[in-house]
Amino acid sequence: SAVISQKPSRDICQRGTSLTIQCQVDSQVTMMFWYRQQPGQSLTLIATANQGSEATYESGFVIDKFPISRPNLTFSTLTVSNMSPEDSSIYLCSVDLYGSYEQYFGPGTRLTVT
Amino acid sequence: GNSVTQMEGPVTLSEEAFLTINCTYTATGYPSLFWYVQYPGEGLQLLLKATKADDKGSNKGFEATYRKETTSFHLEKGSVQVSDSAVYFCALNYGGATNKLIFGTGTLLAVQP
């Protein structure tokens, strides 16, 4: 398995500001993913981040709102821009460690927007 | 489109009771199927998986069998413990170019001593 860490673990932010969430893996992986888990809800994929290419966004998510960077094979960031209370969620990164379609998740970042 | 349907919770059981959490899926082709568990205040952990029809995934006393004929992947455990209290998510993934987990809504399990 791999150790996947996220920073920050939680934050409280004001409306209209932006927050960048970091995801670090202790081994090189091709595919990294960002999910959102709204309060009491299931997980929804925001985008897939492959090193060396633009992130691929799911329907309902746009790059201007959720810009993603993937500078190398062990690191990615997700920015939540111009936040509103509706962005209050847990944001999780995951990796496909073995290319076997099973994904392993980081501990999540709990974001509250006031 | 592809989707996963889970039984609604919460499911409340006494310790040592038998657990079943139903999961059915809608998909074209043959995806891989997964159960993830989220303990209170923690991230998601992969519990078990099955990659083809009739495969049985198992871990920590939990089992689930990939049933193509009924498009189901029900989670079972013979004797639950208080420490099993968590939210359980069923998910599917086609992999390849569409490597993407599609999750069910999750089922909260509460085990009472």
Side-chain angles (χ1 to χ4, degrees):
Chain A
S1 63
V3 176
I4 306 168
S5 60
Q6 287 186 233
K7 291 181 181 179
S9 59
R10 60 177 62 225
D11 207 342
I12 301 173
C13 300
Q14 291 193 339
R15 178 195 302 262
T17 62
S18 298
L19 177 72
T20 295
I21 302 167
Q22 299 178 7
C23 179
Q24 179 80 51
V25 188
D26 68 349
S27 58
Q28 294 185 338
V29 295
T30 302
M31 303 185 80
M32 296 180 77
F33 308 84
W34 287 98
Y35 288 82
R36 181 175 73 182
Q37 185 178 22
Q38 295 178 298
Q41 304 295 315
S42 187
L43 285 83
T44 302
L45 181 65
I46 297 171
T48 301
N50 292 336
Q51 195 268 337
S53 62
E54 296 290 324
T56 303
Y57 289 83
E58 296 297 306
S59 176
F61 298 96
V62 295
I63 187 171
D64 289 347
K65 176 67 176 177
F66 297 101
I68 288 171
S69 78
R70 182 79 200 274
N72 58 52
L73 291 173
T74 63
F75 187 79
S76 178
T77 67
L78 169 75
T79 299
V80 186
S81 303
N82 188 25
M83 289 184 284
S84 66
E86 292 70 35
D87 294 319
S88 297
S89 296
I90 299 173
Y91 292 86
L92 301 102
C93 68
S94 72
V95 303
D96 183 347
L97 196 59
Y98 306 113
S100 60
Y101 317 138
E102 59 191 66
Q103 294 179 21
Y104 294 85
F105 285 80
T109 295
R110 184 179 296 270
L111 170 62
T112 303
V113 183
T114 61
Chain B
N2 304 316
S3 65
V4 176
T5 302
Q6 287 181 238
M7 62 186 292
E8 290 194 16
V11 173
T12 303
L13 296 173
S14 298
E15 208 164 21
E16 299 183 1
F18 184 86
L19 167 71
T20 300
I21 299 178
N22 290 337
C23 171
T24 57
Y25 66 91
T26 301
T28 54
Y30 306 105
S32 295
L33 302 175
F34 304 89
W35 277 100
Y36 282 85
V37 58
Q38 187 173 37
Y39 297 102
E42 298 185 14
L44 247 65
Q45 299 178 24
L46 177 63
L47 181 60
L48 53 84
K49 69 172 183 178
T51 58
K52 61 183 187 298
D54 300 326
D55 265 4
K56 177 185 284 187
S58 62
N59 186 25
K60 299 182 180 180
F62 291 90
E63 292 183 340
T65 301
Y66 191 140
R67 301 286 188 198
K68 186 178 68 173
E69 63 276 13
T70 55
T71 62
S72 64
F73 193 55
H74 305 321
L75 183 68
E76 297 182 336
K77 186 175 185 182
S79 175
V80 294
Q81 305 300 312
V82 172
S83 57
D84 293 327
S85 298
V87 180
Y88 292 81
F89 292 93
C90 185
L92 66 82
N93 190 344
Y94 276 104
T98 58
N99 190 341
K100 166 184 171 181
L101 279 167
I102 297 172
F103 285 90
T105 53
T107 302
L108 173 63
L109 170 65
V111 180
Q112 299 176 336

